[in-house]
Amino acid sequence: MYNNGLSYAGISLLSLLTHISMLAIVFAKGNYDSVLAPLILSAAVLVSDIVYFFILKFLKQNTYTIDILMITILNMSLIFQSCFGKVSFDFKHFIFCILAVVCMQAGFILTRNYEFIEKHKYIFYGAAGFIILSILLLTGSRGMWIDLGFITIQPSEFLKPVFVIICATSLAAQQKKKKILGIKVVYDNLIILGVTGAILLLQWWCRDLGSLPTFMAVAACAFIMRICYPKAKLSKKLIIGICTAGLAALAVALRFAPSYVQDRLKVDIWSDPTGNGWQQCQALIAIAEGGWFGKGPGHGRLYKVPAADTDIIFSTISEEWGLLAALLAVFMLMLIIVTALINTPRSYYHTTLTTGVAAVFIAQSALNIFGSCNMIPFTGVTIPFISKGGSSMLACGFMIGFLKAGQSALFPIPQKPDKLRQNRRSV
């Protein structure tokens, strides 16, 4: 770890103290029938903290800050999710927290080496196509979920990390342009543009319009990174054409949006508190009743409202834990992104990966929070890691691995001249 800030032991201790403070609030103000409930929760949180901090000492990487922030927010989420309505250890969420950490390490190993990703980029094109087909063929009529009976899977969540990787590939190809109808283009850019269009059409067909801004944010970041790539010099005609097409598509989408979307865009929630505005009204009332410090873990009533632990999680936390705790949770999530952006990634490829992940997390968090607070139409998008959800937890954990890769990138070791000559002779 770098010697320009807190030591490994110091930042680990801060994380541990954060969880101990929250657990103390659960014991003091929580709603539980038996002290066994908060004891089990405390044991799970503190043991997982200690075990993971111990394992980290044996992982070879340049920095451990993102790992510690990750375990901090995951166990904060576990405490929140185990207290809604009544203190009761949420074992399922705990398992997905562990799996999210495993996925983080997998994403880290996969994306450390740019040459590996670039060499196998067509596999990720195929992965995107496979996910899109699985949604069309296996989710039912215009749905987004695959129901296996014992568990449901949302394939579109796994499309996000794949799309981020696709947008980070082919950067060097920006200097290899071909003319088509008098416009200089890069073939790989056309492929990425086609993947983007397929995803947007898929979301539209499946009526999951709440996720559209997230994918659009990733695509916009990728487009900007390609414009800024050294010596890329994208054609002004192409840039103007893409921007014009994007604005036209947005205008058409708003004009021909489904009726339920039009209702959400126009509804006055307080004039329809039992209809389209019911969920947002309940969310706003819960935030107001919670105040700065909340009613206490397990003492809220918003848990009875559908999607209280996913789509309106910000309001649910605000009611039971207070607005300060809800803002702290969001701050911890943003701190992971800021840490990855401030500590400059080791290559342009890793920078593009980092901006793509930042686009996903910021877009989803903003849509959830602003929707819960009635600042924008309600979209039903989750906050990464804080909301409950298996597919989302795994996909977001995978993307956190991309941020780690940017801080501990792996570059091939150049061969020495003698070795190169020897290889040539052998050929």
Side-chain angles (χ1 to χ4, degrees):
M1 191 171 181
Y2 297 123
N3 294 320
N4 59 352
L6 290 172
S7 65
Y8 174 82
I11 193 171
S12 300
L13 182 60
L14 280 177
S15 176
L16 195 61
L17 289 175
T18 300
H19 297 148
I20 291 174
S21 300
M22 294 180 66
L23 292 169
I25 294 173
V26 174
F27 276 98
K29 298 178 61 179
N31 175 24
Y32 50 87
D33 298 327
S34 170
V35 73
L36 186 62
L39 281 176
I40 295 174
L41 174 61
S42 300
V45 170
L46 299 180
V47 169
S48 61
D49 274 350
I50 294 170
V51 169
Y52 190 64
F53 294 155
F54 176 77
I55 293 174
L56 272 181
K57 297 291 288 184
F58 298 95
L59 298 180
K60 294 182 179 180
Q61 53 195 61
N62 292 337
T63 176
Y64 301 94
T65 306
I66 291 177
D67 296 85
I68 296 174
L69 291 174
M70 175 71 164
I71 196 66
T72 301
I73 194 169
L74 283 175
N75 274 338
M76 286 177 65
S77 172
L78 177 61
I79 295 172
F80 289 143
Q81 293 288 351
S82 297
C83 293
F84 296 148
K86 181 174 286 189
V87 178
S88 177
F89 178 57
D90 193 332
F91 181 74
K92 183 178 179 181
H93 191 69
F94 176 64
I95 294 299
F96 277 113
C97 286
I98 295 175
L99 293 176
V101 173
V102 174
C103 287
M104 174 181 67
Q105 195 63 21
F108 167 61
I109 294 171
L110 176 66
T111 56
R112 289 184 74 186
N113 188 344
Y114 168 72
E115 288 191 356
F116 174 83
I117 295 294
E118 187 64 24
K119 184 178 179 180
H120 299 88
K121 60 186 176 183
Y122 296 105
I123 294 178
F124 297 101
Y125 296 158
F130 174 79
I131 294 173
I132 291 173
L133 284 176
S134 69
I135 294 173
L136 293 174
L137 300 177
L138 303 177
T139 58
S141 177
R142 303 185 69 175
M144 295 297 293
W145 295 85
I146 298 176
D147 190 354
L148 300 179
F150 64 97
I151 192 173
T152 56
I153 301 173
Q154 189 175 7
S156 62
E157 289 295 329
F158 300 106
L159 193 56
K160 293 172 185 176
V162 171
F163 187 53
V164 170
I165 292 177
I166 289 174
C167 287
T169 59
S170 308
L171 290 168
Q174 303 311 302
Q175 300 178 12
K176 302 175 183 178
K177 302 180 180 66
K178 304 292 182 181
K179 274 194 174 183
I180 298 180
L181 300 177
I183 300 176
K184 292 182 178 180
V185 298
V186 177
Y187 290 151
D188 291 275
N189 289 353
L190 295 179
I191 295 174
I192 294 173
L193 190 62
V195 173
T196 303
I199 292 173
L200 297 183
L201 288 174
L202 173 72
Q203 299 297 117
W204 184 272
W205 172 255
C206 295
R207 295 167 295 196
D208 185 26
L209 302 185
S211 296
L212 275 178
T214 301
F215 286 106
M216 290 174 65
V218 176
C221 286
F223 181 60
I224 293 172
M225 294 301 291
R226 276 168 158 68
I227 292 176
C228 297
Y229 189 78
K231 298 182 180 179
K233 296 182 179 179
L234 294 186
S235 168
K236 292 181 180 179
K237 294 180 181 178
L238 180 61
I239 295 174
I240 294 173
I242 292 175
C243 292
T244 302
L247 291 174
L250 179 61
V252 171
L254 292 174
R255 173 65 181 81
F256 296 100
S259 57
Y260 74 93
V261 175
Q262 297 285 0
D263 291 340
R264 288 184 180 181
L265 291 172
K266 300 175 182 178
V267 68
D268 177 2
I269 64 171
W270 298 112
S271 64
D272 190 18
T274 59
N276 288 335
W278 180 71
Q279 203 170 20
Q280 278 181 299
C281 286
Q282 298 301 311
L284 286 174
I285 292 171
I287 294 174
E289 291 180 347
W292 288 108
F293 304 105
K295 296 178 176 179
H299 290 283
R301 59 172 184 79
L302 195 61
Y303 73 94
K304 299 177 181 178
V305 176
D309 54 0
T310 54
D311 299 349
I312 53 173
I313 185 69
F314 184 80
S315 300
T316 312
I317 295 174
S318 296
E319 181 188 29
E320 296 197 357
W321 290 83
L323 185 59
L324 286 178
L327 292 174
L328 175 63
V330 176
F331 171 78
M332 291 301 301
L333 178 62
M334 294 300 109
L335 189 59
I336 297 178
I337 299 171
V338 170
T339 299
L341 291 173
I342 290 178
N343 297 321
T344 308
R346 302 305 178 87
S347 70
Y348 201 87
Y349 152 74
H350 289 104
T351 301
T352 307
L353 274 181
T354 300
T355 55
V357 175
V360 172
F361 285 14
I362 292 173
Q364 289 195 192
S365 300
L367 289 170
N368 184 289
I369 295 169
F370 295 156
S372 298
C373 296
N374 195 35
M375 298 175 68
I376 61 173
F378 191 69
T379 58
V381 174
T382 58
I383 301 179
F385 302 120
I386 299 174
S387 297
K388 182 179 290 187
S391 300
S392 176
M393 291 282 287
L394 301 184
C396 289
F398 202 72
M399 286 187 282
I400 290 293
F402 301 172
L403 302 184
K404 280 184 60 179
Q407 305 298 306
S408 300
L410 180 65
F411 300 104
I413 300 175
Q415 289 184 313
K416 294 182 180 180
D418 293 341
K419 187 70 173 177
L420 287 173
R421 284 193 292 269
Q422 184 180 356
N423 290 342
R424 288 171 184 167
R425 291 195 190 106
S426 63
V427 172

